[in-house]
Amino acid sequence: MRVAILSDIHGNLPALEAVLADLQEVRPRLVVVNGDIVNRGPSNREVLERLLDLSSSKQGRALAPEGFWFTLGNHDDLLVKWAQRDPSLNDLYTDPLFEPTAWSVAQLSRDHLDWLGSLPFQVVIEEAPRRALGLDKAEGLGESVLVRATHGSPRHYREGYDEHQTLSTLVEISEDYPARLLVGSHTHRPFMYQLGEALVLNSGAVGAPFNGDVRAQYVVVEIGENHVQVDFRQIPYNLQVALQAYYDSGLMEAGGLGADIFYHETRTARSMLMHFWQWAEAQTRPRDWDSWRLYQVTHPERFV
């Protein structure tokens, strides 16, 4: 069984289209879109409608005969909560770094947001009978799980698998949520670790990689009775078109400082937002344009 897992598209339509073209060569049985479809990037509505069309059309079935399955990412959930004016976000509504979030919400319809809000926390592929299921966070199932895909981990959509995760944490997750393959995303960096009989993977990011490689990245796993083959794929796309869309869409003007940071993340394939946030706190500086300009002067290596 060949399964493609792609995630963290973040409203980057050219990157998504490049991956969809590559899937025609890969010919997976099933595609898991593992969260963070929207926010950060400029083409949220276009990306969402492209995936919705594939999930319900003959073209999509031709691309992946067993369909497109989706999980909820933290940015998908953020847009839903923002639209609802969730009180848990009260500190963010006036934060200049979150102006792109308000802009992204305005690009989506009520139906789009309702669909995002209905996404399951995890997609599980059972070994026998072989079928895909969208499940809530609390559901662990038993030993018959072939693949368990979550945006972060089954415990939280912000708990990603990467080289910074402790071994004890990975062991806990594997014991509580057994699967032959534990697949996460969220950190925007490909990762693979053999944990006993379980293989832990991170799919990387389609629209905003953070490993210095600007190509759209995703993973394909081929699962046989006695083998697992992992193919981390890096797909070139027209980055300049994706960057120009920040201006053509109105995101750069409306999104202010946050949009400029996301633009540079896409341009360099490096994490900027959290690094800048931590730097500003360490310098006891406000997260504003003056601090952002100073950050660029003091960390020129991150902008190459």
Side-chain angles (χ1 to χ4, degrees), residues 2 6 31 160 189 211 215 240 288 298:
R2 187 175 296 163
L6 50 123
V31 174
R189 294 191 301 275
N211 62 345
R215 294 174 295 179
Q240 291 308 311
D288 59 13
T298 55

Side-chain angles (χ1 to χ4, degrees), residues 116-176:
L116 287 172
S118 71
L119 292 178
F121 194 84
Q122 62 179 322
V123 166
V124 165
I125 303 172
E126 289 186 302
E127 192 126 25
R130 188 161 291 176
R131 59 177 180 167
L133 304 167
L135 300 172
D136 287 337
K137 179 178 179 179
E139 298 182 82
L141 294 184
E143 300 292 335
S144 63
V145 176
L146 192 63
V147 178
R148 188 185 303 278
T150 53
H151 180 69
S153 81
R155 305 195 304 189
H156 200 283
Y157 53 25
R158 288 194 182 94
E159 185 180 46
Y161 307 139
D162 63 16
E163 67 278 8
H164 302 297
Q165 198 59 268
T166 65
L167 178 59
S168 61
T169 295
L170 294 178
V171 169
E172 286 176 8
I173 294 169
S174 179
E175 290 176 347
D176 292 342

Side-chain angles (χ1 to χ4, degrees), residues 44-45 48-49 52 79-80 83 104-116:
N44 297 284
R45 176 184 288 267
L48 189 52
E49 291 184 347
L52 286 171
L79 292 200
V80 173
S104 295
V105 169
Q107 308 311 303
L108 302 181
S109 70
R110 182 72 260 171
D111 287 344
H112 291 140
L113 292 164
D114 287 346
W115 183 83
L116 287 172

Side-chain angles (χ1 to χ4, degrees), residues 164-302:
H164 302 297
Q165 198 59 268
T166 65
L167 178 59
S168 61
T169 295
L170 294 178
V171 169
E172 286 176 8
I173 294 169
S174 179
E175 290 176 347
D176 292 342
Y177 299 90
R180 190 167 168 191
L181 273 78
L182 284 165
V183 184
S185 304
H186 182 63
T187 67
H188 298 210
R189 294 191 301 275
F191 174 76
M192 180 167 65
Y193 185 79
Q194 188 71 50
L195 186 67
E197 296 183 358
L199 185 63
V200 181
L201 300 175
N202 190 305
S203 64
V206 171
F210 286 168
N211 62 345
D213 185 340
V214 298
R215 294 174 295 179
Q217 298 168 47
Y218 74 108
V219 68
V220 177
V221 293
E222 188 169 298
I223 309 154
E225 187 174 346
N226 298 308
H227 79 281
V228 175
Q229 181 176 321
V230 178
D231 182 11
F232 288 106
R233 299 182 71 81
Q234 303 85 30
I235 314 303
Y237 73 97
N238 195 325
L239 178 61
Q240 291 308 311
V241 169
L243 294 176
Q244 185 61 40
Y246 277 82
Y247 293 92
D248 295 343
S249 66
L251 173 56
M252 284 296 280
E253 182 177 359
L257 175 58
D260 196 64
I261 293 173
F262 295 150
Y263 175 92
H264 284 289
E265 286 186 336
T266 305
R267 184 182 65 80
T268 64
R270 290 190 178 95
S271 174
M272 298 280 184
L273 177 65
M274 293 312 300
H275 197 264
F276 167 65
W277 191 308
Q278 292 163 2
W279 173 86
E281 286 188 344
Q283 300 292 320
T284 62
R285 295 187 61 91
R287 298 188 298 272
D288 59 13
W289 276 106
D290 287 341
S291 295
W292 175 237
R293 294 185 185 102
L294 180 60
Y295 172 82
Q296 293 180 64
V297 170
T298 55
H299 293 280
E301 74 285 351
R302 298 187 66 80

Side-chain angles (χ1 to χ4, degrees), residues 41-55:
S43 303
N44 297 284
R45 176 184 288 267
E46 295 86 347
V47 163
L48 189 52
E49 291 184 347
R50 182 77 168 99
L51 290 170
L52 286 171
D53 180 65
L54 284 173
S55 68

